[in-house]
Amino acid sequence: MKFFIDTANLDQIREAQDLGVLDGVTTNPSLMAKEGITGRDNILQHYVDICNIVDGDVSAEVIATDYEGMVSEGEELAALHSQIVVKLPMIKDGIKAAKYFSDKGTKTNVTLVFSAGQALLAAKAGATYVSPFIGRLDDISTDGLHLIGEIRHIYDNYGFETEILAASVRHTMHVIDCAKIGADVMTGPLSSIEGLLKHPLTDIGLAKFLEDYKKGN
Ligand code: E4P
């Protein structure tokens, strides 16, 4: 299972990278705005800065919503760095653009996916990643994890190579449940990764080991 961090915050990206388990980064326009990154040039430079910190794929989202606009913006983003994955919204022109980039061998991430049918279309278009938003489904009393299971089942039925990128992960249990279901990737906040470290018996056990060592040394 790949671990992506879902942020545009360079300090958090560095921290996750330093942990040695980071496989990539996802961003979106809201996450860029949260870090105060505005203006096209600054946004593009920020993507390059992120690529220079991590080794893996970095999703950069287009703002255009028409096919020609998405293609032109996607080309510009892809040219920034070899690690850039063009992130496209799950709309009709987004699917057409995913097919265009897939035919060119450019990696894509189809985002804002909330149903199995949408995920099937993304796979048919040859998307590299499909991003079902589990947290946002949970927010409206719909089981986000159930959707991950449905997509896994459909993709396995036909051997689709599109990777299921469980997005809108909010906490550690989402990560564990996605791993059990077989999501290929999860993207979440740093806290969802660091939460995996924690167990009180680990802390108690370590304290006891150190105490016993001190007794004999
Ligand atoms: C995924 O690529 C999105 O950036 C993200 O996971 C959305 O998460 P949120 O629902 O917590 O905003």
Side-chain angles (χ1 to χ4, degrees), residues 6-7 26-31 59 61 87 109 111-112 131-136 139 165-170 187-189:
D6 194 32
T7 183
T26 50
T27 62
N28 63 39
S30 305
L31 293 170
S59 287
E61 189 159 341
K87 199 172 181 189
N109 174 358
T111 189
L112 290 166
S131 288
F133 279 33
I134 60 177
R136 292 193 194 185
D139 287 345
L165 196 175
S168 188
V169 159
R170 301 277 169 77
T187 190

Side-chain angles (χ1 to χ4, degrees), residues 72-136:
S72 132
E73 213 183 313
E75 304 271 26
E76 185 184 24
L77 291 169
L80 284 175
H81 199 284
S82 58
Q83 286 165 240
I84 292 285
V85 173
V86 179
K87 199 172 181 189
L88 301 157
M90 177 61 232
I91 55 176
K92 198 173 192 176
D93 281 12
I95 288 298
K96 285 164 68 177
K99 173 71 177 143
Y100 167 85
F101 284 115
S102 158
D103 287 347
K104 279 191 69 179
T106 300
K107 286 186 176 180
T108 55
N109 174 358
V110 174
T111 189
L112 290 166
V113 166
F114 293 94
S115 77
Q118 292 178 325
L120 180 55
L121 266 180
K124 289 286 294 174
T128 314
Y129 298 105
V130 64
S131 288
F133 279 33
I134 60 177
R136 292 193 194 185

